[in-house]
Structures are given as structure tokens and as C-alpha cells.
Amino acid sequence: MTQQQPPWPSPISSSSSNPRGKCWLILVLMAVLPLVADVGALPFLFTHIKPQINWTQPEMESWVIEEQPRSIEPHLEPVLHPNRTHRALSSDSTDAEFLQRLVSIRHNQTASSRMLWYDVAGGDGLVYPPFVDKALKLLNLKQVAFEIENSVMSKVTCTACRAGAGMLQHQIQSGKTDAELIRMITDYCTNLNIQSARVCQGVAQLFGSELIYVLKRVNLSPDELCSFVIGDGCADVYNPYHEWEVIFPPVPKPPRLPDLPIPMEAAPFFKVLHISDTHYDPHYAEGSNADCNEPLCCRLSSGRPATPNAAAGKWGDYRKCDTPKRTVDHMLSHIAETHKDIDYILWTGDLPPHDVWNQTKEENLAIIKDTVKQMVEMFPGVPIFPALGNHESAPVNSFPPPYVNQVDISISWLYDELDIQWRRWLPQSVTHTVRRGAFYSVLVRPGFRIISLNMNYCNNKNWWLLLNSTDPATELQWFIYELQSAEFSNEKVHVIGHIPPGHSDCLKVWSRNFYKIISRYESTVTAQFYGHTHYDEFEMFYDPHDLNHPNGIAYIGPSVSPYYDLNPGYRIYYVDGDHDATTRLVIDHESWIMNLKEANLYGYPIWYKLYTARAAYNMKALRPSDWNNLLNELTNNQELFELYYKYYWKNSPARPTCDAECKKRLICDCRSGRSHDRKHFCAEVESKIDEESSKSWKSWFYKGLTNSAEDRTEEPAPTTDGYGPFDVVIVNVGG
């Protein structure tokens, strides 16, 4: 059932008027680096005056948010599960009566009649810094590759980005054809041994045309380009073309509670399955080469393993390999058998594998269709709420906004098919927004809504955003419209997506606007769910004006794919259900994994519950304030942090050790729900960790001196080698 809404204008104000699988970016940026040696051929590198740029915003199509149908009928019918101790709803309680009770006891009072808001406010040269003294750094390609692949950027990657972007722009302006530019990228990639010849050729063909198309149409310096793509790892260069703000309605924010109530014990709940980052590889081959020096291995095309240890395992591999079909099948069968009382499923994207150099639209669509069919067969009658990952497109990360509507580069080939596939679980009212931007809103139960966002419009590896990053597809303004409607209706909202908004892959300006939205509607949004990182973690949100007030929590679910050094995993959430005092908060969650090493060793996988959040971390509830308390404990309690680190890696035997810098990064990731703003959120945390690290060193040093002094007060015992315990022995180890 759909309903037309009153007119809500949705203007955008402009101040000027995403781990893994990113080899394409490495190749494009680094393939042109050797050209920087020819300084004489690059006069633009030493130009210090940037001419005036006449910039025209791309023509935007008209899309009226309030004219789109909305989901206003509950989509989920409660099921009585015999293994639960409570009933979902009393037999004499209808949805309408339940909703009426919620309205009558709601905490966030708003006026019964409101008017919705009406806002009445309404060259050729390139500047490039000298970097001759940094030339050697440009040759550190392994460092650059590692940083880009793990989304941990430094000045090394920034310098490489500036050099690559500057050279590519110079070649474009010199009149090189697209074919010549693509051939140049391929040749340098191959000659520098950045990747194999087939990977170089595939990446250049897939990404070269798109990148060249965008760079021909933007007037941004290399500094501006790289600050946009890399973020705070490449300085915070002000760029007026990519500064914008969403508009909020003139509706007062409901009074802030001192803290949220703890969900009632033994009250009705929903059991929710969260699956993310399956990365199913239909070409996985047991016994193939798992150490192939390409972005994805464990295929027949990866070659034969050099040693028995280099052979791909039966159930997957810790190296750069994705999920074999038998592992996906076994996991879904295990879930269907073990968790028979699942109420609904959150499915947060990334279905295709990491072979980003040779993917096609047809192959990615086939994987989407196959996995949707499998989910329907394994969980008949269970509602599934999907979100779009960054790997679903071909090429990866390519999600043109709606105004890019040319047939050959439009994203409609993907969104139209998603609408067809997702309609198996979603109401017809979502068609308009799914086909426009792959986002939607569904009323799940009376007073409870799920909003799925397309986080690829915050993906800074999405080159199309360089043309115009201003609220792509009008998604965030639509998001505000949905949240304001939910607030008026006293609905609580869960948000799902793929890329976490605080992750370094999320565009800074988009993340900043999203953060403001969550703060404004903190009484409405009670939980967020994402994937993308492949790790088991979380992100915090705070009042932008009061960092002592946590107002939101984002759960980042583990990946099914072991890519890489990980065990496969999934999550189970228990969400406050249908009752008069419901909070719609997550009551608790469990992480389940399969030990990949043992599965390959013994030939059979065993899925088991790794931990339960409240029990593992001794939390009385999972409110934002409780997660904030845990974050403080992780900073101060090393033993607790090591437990978190174990779960973060899904208990993988391949996990590396974590030093003080690693600890700072992980805790800061948890604290930063706003991307590329670590200085704002993490200074205090990093200072504490540095202080504790210093204390540990000093304690060890002074303890050693004290013990030595105490030993000296006693009579030295004779030694078997003839030396006293404090004699100095000089040993000649030279030749």
C-alpha cells in the first residue's frame, strides 16, 4: 500500500554558491610514476599560479522526494516460535491497537499538527608542489600498494597519487587519445611488474576509460584530487566544488534523555541474522595456487602451487582467496538448521569475488541472481533486507549518479535488476528509490522501520563523485525526509548499508553530513548495521558539540569471505521486539565463525559461537553509553583489548601482533563514526595509549634496575663458566 505525502522541498546548500580489492587504484596511480623523472617535460609541476576556473555544476534532473510512494503497512508478520519463552503479541492485540498504545506512551512528544519545512535561504594550468626531494619515495610501490589495499594512507601514497594524477592530466591535456592513454597505463604497469600482464591489461581497460572520462570533465589540481580520494592521509585541501550541506526541516529536536532505558528482560524480541561480504567465487579450485601474487588466487588460472603448502584448501584459504561454493552452502545449511527461529535477515552486500580486473556486468548479475535464489531456497518465507555493496558493480566502485544517464555508462543495468531480485522480499513501494539509487525504506512492524542506504555514494573510490559529490541521487535529503516522517509517527529506525560512514573509504563531506543527521535524529535511529571491512567491530557516534554524549552505535558485521587472513563468520542480533515499552535497541549479539585451518585439516567445517557481546565484555546493555564505556575500558585495560583484538580478527590463527600504534588505530576506528577526522576524535585516546606504553617501558626498565640492585646486595654466586654474574665479557663476532 502506498500513500502520497504533502510537498516537502529538498534543497541542497553549497558553500561555493571506502579494504581490500582495490588493486585498480594502485595500478592507475602508479603506472605513470616513472614519467616524473622527466622534469623538463613537466613544466606544470612548478607552476605556482592557478588561473581562474569557470566551473559549471552538471545539470541535475528533477526528482521530488515527497511524491514517491512510502511503505506504511507493516511488512513483517510475527511468528510464534515454540522455543521462545514469550509470545510476540497477545492474542487480542492487533497491529493497530499496538501502534495506538505506542503513540499514547511515546517519550518524544511532538505537536499533533505541523507544517513541513520550506527553506527560503537559499583554465588549463595546474598547481603542483615541488617534490623532487620525494622522488625516492615514489619508488616505494609496495608501501603504496599495502596502504591502498588496507585503507591506511600515509604521505607515501599521497605523493604517489599526486604524481600519477598530475601526469595523467598532463597527458590528457597534451591531446593523447583514450586508446593511447590506456596503452600507456598498461605498458608501465607491466614493465614495473606492479601486476601480471593480464591484470595490468584488464585493469587498464576496465577503469581507464571511466577515469579518463571523469578527468577530462573536472578542473581540479592533483592536490585537490588526491585529498578528495585519499582524505586526511593527503592533507585537508579545501575544495569549494565539494563542500555542501543538507537542509534540515525547522522542527525542534526532541529533548535529549540523560540515557536510554535498558531493554526489559524476558520481553519479546526479534532474532536477526546478519550476513555480509560473501564474495562467492564460482571459480575457486581446491589445490590451485593460493600464493599467486595477484589480487585474487585459488583459481585454476592462478597456476600450480610451488609447494604443497601453497595449495588452496578445500574450504577456503587464509591468503588472497574468496569463498568457495561448498563453504557458502555449508554455512547457509548450518544457519538454517541451527537458527530455525530467525525473524528476518540483514544482507549488507559484496557478493562477487575480488577478481576486479576481469569482471563483466553479465558475470556480476549472474552471481547476484544465483545468490538471491539460494537465499530464497534456504530461508523460505523469511524477510530479507539487502543493501548494495561496492563490488556489485562492474567495474568495482563505479556507481554513476542518476544525472549520468548515457546508455553506455548509466548504472541502470544494475539497479533495475536489483529491483527485480529484491522484490522477492520488499514491498512494491520501494521500486522508485531502488531504481533511482538502490536505497529504500520499509515499515517492518508498527513503530519500527528499516532504511537501507546505498553507501557507494559516499565511496571516495567512486570516480564519478569527482564530477559532483553534492548529495548524489539526493539520497541524504531523502534520508532526512524518511527520518522526519518516522519521528512524526513515533517510529524507531534501523539503518543498514555496506561501507561504514566512519571508514576511510567514505567521502569526508558525505560522512560529515550523515553524522549531523544521526545527531539530529538520535531519538529515532536506534542502531546501524554495515559490513565492508571484513572484521568484527563497531563504530561510535557522538553529539558533534559534546563528545561526552554518545548518541549512536553502528555494528560492523564480520565477512563470510576469509579474504584475507580471516575465518569466515556471521552475526546474530537480538532486537527489542513488540511490546509497549520497546526500545528497538539491540539487546545482545553473537558472532559465529568457522575455524578454516581446522576445517581444511580435518576435512569438515564446524561452525560455533565465538562470543556473545554482553557476556564477553561484561556489559549490562548495548546502548551507545555502554559501548562508550567499553571503549574507555579498551583504552585502559590491555587484557580486555587483547580479547577484543582476538574477536576483531575472528580468532584467526593468521592474525598479526598488535603494538601501540595498532591499538591506537583500532580504538580510534571504533570512536570515529565520522570519516577523516581522527584528530578531532582520537587525540585523547592516542595520548592515553602513548602514556600507558611509556609507563610500561619505564616500569620494565626501572624494575630491571631494581632487581639488579637487589641482587648486588647478596653474595654473588659462582658460575660454571668461571665468570661472576656482573663481569663483562667481550665476544668477538667479527671475521
Side-chain angles (χ1 to χ4, degrees), residues 102-307:
L102 289 178
V103 172
S104 65
I105 63 177
R106 66 186 182 182
H107 298 291
N108 301 321
Q109 297 292 337
T110 57
S112 58
S113 176
R114 287 187 189 275
M115 292 296 292
L116 302 180
W117 79 91
Y118 295 89
D119 183 72
V120 295
D124 296 327
L126 293 172
V127 176
Y128 206 86
F131 58 90
V132 175
D133 59 330
K134 300 179 181 178
L136 291 177
K137 291 185 178 180
L138 298 180
L139 302 179
N140 193 356
L141 303 184
K142 290 185 178 180
Q143 170 81 3
V144 174
F146 173 83
E147 291 180 359
I148 293 178
E149 193 165 14
N150 291 275
S151 296
V152 180
M153 309 299 186
S154 74
K155 291 183 179 179
V156 177
T157 297
C158 181
T159 305
C161 175
R162 289 168 175 168
M167 175 52 61
L168 197 52
Q169 286 181 319
H170 176 70
Q171 296 295 332
I172 290 173
Q173 293 176 3
S174 68
K176 290 283 197 304
T177 65
D178 290 6
E180 289 174 329
L181 292 169
I182 292 174
R183 185 165 58 250
M184 178 191 73
I185 294 173
T186 303
D187 290 344
Y188 280 112
C189 171
T190 304
N191 294 336
L192 283 173
N193 293 320
I194 297 174
Q195 279 292 344
S196 65
R198 63 172 184 156
V199 172
C200 290
Q201 184 177 7
V203 168
Q205 291 292 336
L206 272 176
F207 300 97
S209 298
E210 177 180 298
L211 179 59
I212 294 166
Y213 178 94
V214 171
L215 290 182
K216 282 182 176 179
R217 289 160 175 80
V218 297
N219 288 304
L220 299 176
S221 70
D223 279 352
E224 292 167 332
L225 283 169
C226 294
S227 178
F228 180 92
V229 174
I230 295 177
D232 57 0
C234 202
D236 189 9
V237 179
Y238 176 70
N239 187 337
Y241 306 147
H242 295 283
E243 288 294 330
W244 49 271
E245 303 286 344
V246 292
I247 298 297
F248 290 92
V251 179
K253 179 178 177 179
R256 192 176 85 186
L257 298 175
D259 202 354
L260 297 176
I262 296 178
M264 293 173 53
E265 294 292 338
F269 63 84
F270 293 127
K271 186 174 182 179
V272 183
L273 168 66
H274 184 188
I275 296 177
S276 193
D277 296 87
T278 309
H279 291 292
Y280 155 58
D281 186 1
H283 304 294
Y284 185 96
E286 179 185 358
S288 60
N289 187 11
D291 192 12
C292 66
N293 293 320
E294 287 187 343
L296 183 66
C297 304
C298 295
R299 294 174 156 197
L300 291 178
S301 59
S302 302
R304 304 180 70 172
T307 65

Side-chain angles (χ1 to χ4, degrees), residues 317-375:
D317 202 280
Y318 287 120
R319 287 157 289 197
K320 292 186 178 181
C321 305
D322 274 321
T323 320
K325 185 177 188 302
R326 61 163 59 96
T327 302
V328 177
D329 293 344
H330 194 278
M331 181 193 71
L332 296 180
S333 297
H334 148 77
I335 293 173
E337 180 64 29
T338 305
H339 308 286
K340 296 181 179 180
D341 55 343
I342 292 173
D343 290 297
Y344 61 89
I345 299 172
L346 304 179
W347 197 19
T348 52
D350 265 14
L351 310 182
H354 287 86
D355 59 333
V356 297
W357 70 92
N358 66 350
Q359 289 179 335
T360 64
K361 297 176 181 178
E362 292 74 20
E363 185 176 36
N364 280 16
L365 288 178
I367 289 177
I368 292 172
K369 293 175 183 178
D370 288 346
T371 50
V372 165
K373 180 182 177 183
Q374 186 178 34
M375 294 292 285

Side-chain angles (χ1 to χ4, degrees), residues 22-41:
K22 303 186 186 73
C23 71
W24 58 272
L25 180 59
I26 302 170
L27 307 188
V28 171
L29 293 181
M30 295 191 300
V32 295
L33 295 186
L35 296 180
V36 301
D38 188 5
V39 177

Side-chain angles (χ1 to χ4, degrees), residues 352-561:
H354 287 86
D355 59 333
V356 297
W357 70 92
N358 66 350
Q359 289 179 335
T360 64
K361 297 176 181 178
E362 292 74 20
E363 185 176 36
N364 280 16
L365 288 178
I367 289 177
I368 292 172
K369 293 175 183 178
D370 288 346
T371 50
V372 165
K373 180 182 177 183
Q374 186 178 34
M375 294 292 285
V376 170
E377 293 173 350
M378 295 302 300
F379 304 103
V382 179
I384 299 179
F385 299 98
L388 182 63
N390 62 302
H391 276 264
E392 269 77 302
S393 183
V396 66
N397 298 319
S398 175
F399 295 88
Y403 63 79
V404 182
N405 53 19
Q406 294 94 317
V407 175
D408 57 333
I409 54 179
S410 168
I411 196 64
S412 61
W413 66 271
L414 177 60
Y415 292 174
D416 290 353
E417 186 61 40
L418 289 179
D419 178 48
I420 295 172
Q421 298 300 321
W422 290 358
R423 193 85 63 76
R424 298 169 185 256
W425 307 296
L426 304 178
Q428 186 177 357
S429 60
V430 308
T431 290
H432 300 273
T433 54
V434 170
R435 287 181 178 259
R436 173 179 173 79
F439 50 85
Y440 61 86
S441 173
V442 173
L443 185 66
V444 181
R445 295 292 301 140
F448 179 43
R449 181 174 295 273
I450 287 179
I451 296 179
S452 177
L453 296 178
N454 182 356
M455 301 301 289
N456 292 294
Y457 290 136
C458 90
N459 186 354
N460 52 20
K461 308 305 184 295
N462 182 4
W463 294 108
W464 296 103
L465 301 187
L466 285 168
L467 294 174
N468 182 12
S469 67
T470 305
D471 193 14
T474 331
E475 180 180 33
L476 287 184
Q477 205 65 55
W478 167 87
F479 185 43
I480 292 174
Y481 174 85
E482 286 292 325
L483 291 179
Q484 189 60 66
S485 299
E487 182 178 279
F488 285 162
S489 303
N490 195 39
E491 296 171 356
K492 301 301 181 185
V493 172
H494 284 184
V495 178
I496 66 173
H498 181 66
I499 300 175
H503 194 271
S504 60
D505 285 346
C506 188
L507 195 62
K508 181 176 182 177
V509 63
W510 197 100
S511 179
R512 184 181 66 217
N513 278 281
F514 181 85
Y515 203 84
K516 291 179 181 178
I517 295 172
I518 295 300
S519 179
R520 165 58 184 85
Y521 296 101
E522 65 176 274
S523 62
T524 298
V525 178
T526 58
Q528 303 173 53
F529 306 87
Y530 303 99
H532 186 62
T533 72
H534 292 204
Y535 299 104
D536 189 301
E537 50 183 329
F538 65 94
E539 272 183 3
M540 291 295 303
F541 290 75
Y542 298 87
D543 186 322
H545 306 293
D546 180 10
L547 294 184
N548 292 318
H549 173 61
N551 60 14
I553 176 67
Y555 298 94
I556 304 176
S559 64
V560 174
S561 174

